[in-house]
Amino acid sequence: MAKAYVAVDIGASSGRLMLGTINDHKLELQEMHRFKNGFSKENGHDRWAIDSILNEIFKGLEKIKAAGYDEVTLGIDTWAVDYVLVGMDGEKIQNPISYRDARTKNAMKELTSDLPKSYIYKKTGIQFLNFNTLYQLYEESKKDLEKTDKIMMIPDYIGYVLTGNAVTEVTNASTTQMLNLREGLFDKNLLNKVNVSQDQFPRLVESGTVLGNIRHKWHTLYDLPETQVITVATHDTASAVLGTPGEGENWAFLSSGTWSLLGTELNVPENGELAFKGNYTNEWGAYGTYRFLKNIMGLWMVQCLKRELNDEYSFADLAKLAGEVTPFQQFINVNDDRFTNPDSMVDEIQTYCRQSGQKVPETPGELAMAIYSNLALYYANEIQELNKILGCKLEALNIVGGGSNVKLMNQLTATLANIDVYAGPSEATAIGNLIVQMITMNDVNNIAEGRKLIRDSFGLKTFHPETNKYGDVLKRYQEFLNNGERETVK
């Protein structure tokens, strides 16, 4: 039986355990377990049920053992910025608060009234989002912080519970907006500002670090395979970029899921004036790279639409209905804060259009097209911004994640941005997780070889620009953004 690798890949709405093996020089994937994830109101805040997530991981490992795999390696990736406070007894103090909780609504404004944004950006190179860990800790309960021995990012906490060993992996840690680009450590001035100390974070480690074996006590409670845990690129976007089959130079990535992360991979960070004003981020990647990217609202808007329609339509249904509607009937800044966690996404979109004097989308197809077409417009605009900041022309866009299956949006993006789009694989995050494990175990030599393995294993779909299809619509959208709607850092 081929050597087995397990990717624990957990997003904001679901998690899964993916089994990866190499057979006949191709990477094969098998979903072994899937479960729902989400936050709920608890003790006055939106919190993640972290114990439930752990229980689902054990369930998935039991299924893998039952399938005949007695020995595996395992890597964990999740969303970024959220953390668990662990007390002196080694146990969590409370369930972790979600980044979508309203507690940080004014935190960024308050904190940056003392520390200018330009000062923070020069130190960290991280974009300003009101839910970054820096602002979450600024609003954290002082009582809970006083009881805190360790602050652990979500995937690091899961690894700690599994193995008993605590680390802070750099790709997720960088999203805190507290790592100093020059020093490679947490910045003391920023930590002091939020009343935490360096020793409250476990030691920083790079992607590919062996964490340890699952503790014996879990084997007494569950029928588990012998499992060695490897700390992979624990931020799901970092794993997704590693799982992107980019080739050559001047290619961009779009990790298209709940969030859309659009950018390129650099060997040195770019935290100059243009990057600062455009609110681009330099998240740390695996193997000495940086993910220079923009955080964009993404398919969260479609997920909310689907839920508000009582799941009457599948995502494929909504895309099909959208395809029957003329695009660009309204311009929407998808990165407006109002779309982060509204009571009703439908009401918020309609109110936005009504207030800006535009046609109000009413039907499921019109609402879906409003989202897809404006995401494509935003992507195209940001590709032009990337070209300006980097001083080069990006020649290809690799779209990975669930959004790579939305042909309508892929084609709109290719045409608007005048760039060749390569879509797939949809499982890039799990694949990137697996590739790091394989490199650590010497089954793959490096990332270039890993990306070739991906290209050889998964069929990619290509979308070429359709010349002059939509005239000056992108130019008009850019004017719309520039007239008070564009996101800039001040």
Side-chain angles (χ1 to χ4, degrees), residues 376-410:
L377 282 164
Y378 207 100
Y379 300 155
N381 181 61
E382 293 306 328
I383 287 170
Q384 288 193 1
E385 290 296 310
L386 277 168
N387 289 338
K388 291 177 187 176
I389 294 169
L390 299 174
C392 67
K393 187 178 188 306
L394 295 167
E395 297 170 355
L397 176 64
N398 290 268
I399 300 181
V400 297
S404 67
N405 296 315
V406 187
K407 296 178 182 178
L408 166 69
M409 190 166 62
N410 296 341

Side-chain angles (χ1 to χ4, degrees), residues 411-479:
Q411 185 60 66
L412 289 174
T413 302
T415 299
L416 291 167
N418 191 31
I419 195 169
D420 287 331
V421 167
Y422 301 94
S426 60
E427 303 292 352
T429 304
I431 291 168
N433 180 322
L434 295 168
I435 291 293
V436 172
Q437 295 181 55
M438 291 172 179
I439 291 173
T440 302
M441 301 304 290
N442 299 314
D443 280 341
V444 172
N445 288 325
N446 50 44
I447 283 300
E449 186 177 299
R451 285 176 170 150
K452 183 179 185 304
L453 176 64
I454 296 167
R455 289 193 297 272
D456 292 344
S457 304
F458 302 96
L460 307 182
K461 295 182 176 64
T462 303
F463 298 85
H464 298 296
E466 298 175 316
T467 306
N468 299 324
K469 181 77 179 281
Y470 299 113
D472 65 348
V473 67
L474 178 59
K475 182 180 178 181
R476 290 190 288 113
Y477 181 71
Q478 290 168 334
E479 291 172 352

Side-chain angles (χ1 to χ4, degrees), residues 81-101:
V81 305
D82 289 345
Y83 56 87
V84 181
L85 301 180
V86 177
M88 304 298 175
D89 60 356
E91 301 294 327
K92 72 176 189 298
I93 292 172
Q94 292 201 63
N95 274 332
I97 296 176
S98 167
Y99 63 89
R100 292 193 188 273
D101 186 83

Side-chain angles (χ1 to χ4, degrees), residues 356-368:
S356 53
Q358 303 185 85
K359 181 178 179 180
V360 177
E362 300 285 354
T363 68
E366 290 172 347
L367 287 159

Side-chain angles (χ1 to χ4, degrees), residues 474-490:
L474 178 59
K475 182 180 178 181
R476 290 190 288 113
Y477 181 71
Q478 290 168 334
E479 291 172 352
F480 168 78
L481 291 179
N482 289 331
N483 289 330
E485 288 290 344
R486 175 146 178 78
E487 174 193 12
T488 55
V489 178
K490 299 175 182 179

Side-chain angles (χ1 to χ4, degrees), residues 37 44 62 97 111 115 144 223 237 318 320 357 443-444 452:
N37 189 33
E62 285 192 318
I97 296 176
L111 191 151
L115 292 180
D144 284 346
D223 186 19
T237 305
L318 289 172
K320 184 175 184 296
D443 280 341
V444 172
K452 183 179 185 304

